[in-house]
Amino acid sequence: MIPYRAMLDVPHEVVEHISWLIYARRCELNSRRRKLGCFRQALLVLVHLRKNETLAQLAAAFGVSTATAGRYVNETAGLLAEHAPSLHQALHKPPPEGFVILDGTLTATDRIRADEPYYSMKHRRHGMNVQVVAAPDGTPLWFSRALPGRTHDLTSPSLRPGAPPARAHGVIQACLSHQLLVLADRACQGAGATVRTPYYGHRDLPEHYQRYNRDHTRLRAPGERAFARLKQWRILRKARCSTNRIGRTVAAIHAIEIAWRSG
């Protein structure tokens, strides 16, 4: 491996914010002597998340071993995930518009064909299903834990057959308790409570149903921005890590995005 200089499109303030979190954790563990300083460790993790460089590439660039690079990534990702808001924290101050957007996406992985639970027939690829609750302007408020890609939006292993992941994660009940309207796609039809989905059919629908579908689509469309911004972190375009770590990685990136917006 030959190291070279490169640019990272992340504000300096975000790197400093993460480095202070790392410093606090090192003080808490009484572990201050490390191969890399707090700022360099934060930079290493951001390069991994933003550019999806392998641990071998990170090790060569920062002058550490591959094992050390992996340890820094796991340690910092877990630290950042702790600062991601829970569902009830995200809904503590509901949007003034009175509704939120619920949507899901598939985070691609490098699983093999034998890993059937992670294969999504809809997307024709292996991955993990992640749900998002977004504000009306598309700002992500909360990301769920990751479920195997085969999990349809109307099934969940943790509840009765036919229960959507949104119910498994507690989204529907949380929005109901906060009296928030939820706009979702047809995959969540039948979820009940305050969830509103489009009507089935196109030309056969009455005019007022078609108008409802158009208004519903217009209001729900900004929710795609949440995933578009999330996928700017290339590690989530095709993750090479264990599927057990993808949910934590999404939470870590969400915490970074919050620091980025507030910075």
Side-chain angles (χ1 to χ4, degrees), residues 43-164:
L43 187 60
L44 180 149
V45 175
L46 286 171
V47 169
H48 176 65
L49 297 176
R50 192 70 171 175
K51 304 178 69 175
N52 198 17
E53 293 193 352
T54 64
L55 295 179
Q57 291 171 327
L58 293 174
F62 289 86
V64 295
S65 67
T66 304
T68 300
R71 186 167 61 252
Y72 282 159
V73 169
N74 293 332
E75 177 186 44
T76 310
L79 175 61
L80 290 170
E82 294 175 5
H83 289 78
S86 66
L87 179 59
H88 289 284
Q89 289 173 339
L91 299 179
H92 180 67
K93 292 183 178 179
E97 293 85 353
F99 72 92
V100 293
I101 303 168
L102 175 64
D103 204 352
T105 190
L106 185 81
T107 299
T109 64
D110 61 350
R111 301 294 95 179
I112 60 177
R113 186 175 182 180
D115 295 322
E116 183 180 352
Y118 303 101
Y119 187 78
S120 170
M121 293 298 295
K122 176 181 177 181
H123 299 89
R124 295 291 192 271
R125 63 195 309 181
H126 292 84
M128 298 292 285
N129 187 306
V130 178
Q131 302 282 313
V132 66
V133 175
D137 62 353
T139 302
L141 303 176
W142 172 83
F143 288 101
S144 73
R145 68 182 186 274
L147 297 176
R150 190 178 64 176
T151 306
H152 187 267
D153 285 349
L154 287 180
T155 60
S156 175
S158 61
L159 292 176
R160 62 174 177 80

Side-chain angles (χ1 to χ4, degrees), residues 134 136-140 220-232:
D137 62 353
T139 302
R220 189 169 53 86
E224 297 293 337
R225 299 175 187 168
F227 288 127
R229 188 168 180 87
L230 187 70
K231 294 297 179 69
Q232 289 180 355

Side-chain angles (χ1 to χ4, degrees), residues 1-260:
M1 290 288 183
I2 302 176
Y4 67 96
R5 296 178 65 88
M7 297 293 292
L8 185 66
D9 58 338
V10 175
H12 189 273
E13 293 77 11
V14 172
V15 187
E16 285 188 333
H17 171 75
I18 298 174
S19 64
W20 277 111
L21 294 179
I22 295 172
Y23 175 78
R25 177 56 57 89
R26 289 186 181 184
C27 291
E28 179 184 337
L29 300 174
N30 195 22
S31 175
R32 303 184 187 182
R33 295 183 63 85
R34 299 286 187 93
K35 181 70 174 179
L36 295 182
C38 298
F39 188 90
R40 295 278 291 173
Q41 179 176 338
L43 187 60
L44 180 149
V45 175
L46 286 171
V47 169
H48 176 65
L49 297 176
R50 192 70 171 175
K51 304 178 69 175
N52 198 17
E53 293 193 352
T54 64
L55 295 179
Q57 291 171 327
L58 293 174
F62 289 86
V64 295
S65 67
T66 304
T68 300
R71 186 167 61 252
Y72 282 159
V73 169
N74 293 332
E75 177 186 44
T76 310
L79 175 61
L80 290 170
E82 294 175 5
H83 289 78
S86 66
L87 179 59
H88 289 284
Q89 289 173 339
L91 299 179
H92 180 67
K93 292 183 178 179
E97 293 85 353
F99 72 92
V100 293
I101 303 168
L102 175 64
D103 204 352
T105 190
L106 185 81
T107 299
T109 64
D110 61 350
R111 301 294 95 179
I112 60 177
R113 186 175 182 180
D115 295 322
E116 183 180 352
Y118 303 101
Y119 187 78
S120 170
M121 293 298 295
K122 176 181 177 181
H123 299 89
R124 295 291 192 271
R125 63 195 309 181
H126 292 84
M128 298 292 285
N129 187 306
V130 178
Q131 302 282 313
V132 66
V133 175
D137 62 353
T139 302
L141 303 176
W142 172 83
F143 288 101
S144 73
R145 68 182 186 274
L147 297 176
R150 190 178 64 176
T151 306
H152 187 267
D153 285 349
L154 287 180
T155 60
S156 175
S158 61
L159 292 176
R160 62 174 177 80
R167 189 173 291 143
H169 298 311
V171 176
I172 297 175
Q173 184 59 39
C175 292
L176 178 61
S177 62
H178 286 85
Q179 298 183 347
L180 277 173
L181 190 67
V182 181
L183 300 185
D185 57 19
R186 292 188 179 96
C188 290
Q189 194 158 21
T194 58
V195 179
R196 298 295 179 266
T197 59
Y199 290 101
Y200 274 105
H202 298 284
R203 298 179 180 177
D204 298 336
L205 289 175
E207 175 59 29
H208 62 284
Y209 280 8
Q210 295 183 31
R211 185 167 58 252
Y212 170 87
N213 282 357
R214 289 193 296 268
D215 292 340
H216 187 281
T217 301
R218 175 177 54 82
L219 292 174
R220 189 169 53 86
E224 297 293 337
R225 299 175 187 168
F227 288 127
R229 188 168 180 87
L230 187 70
K231 294 297 179 69
Q232 289 180 355
W233 298 82
R234 296 183 181 177
I235 192 172
L236 297 179
R237 296 182 185 179
K238 189 168 184 179
R240 292 185 292 263
C241 62
S242 168
T243 54
N244 297 326
R245 298 178 181 175
I246 292 179
R248 186 191 63 179
T249 301
V250 172
I253 291 174
H254 187 204
I256 296 172
E257 288 282 349
I258 293 174
W260 194 332

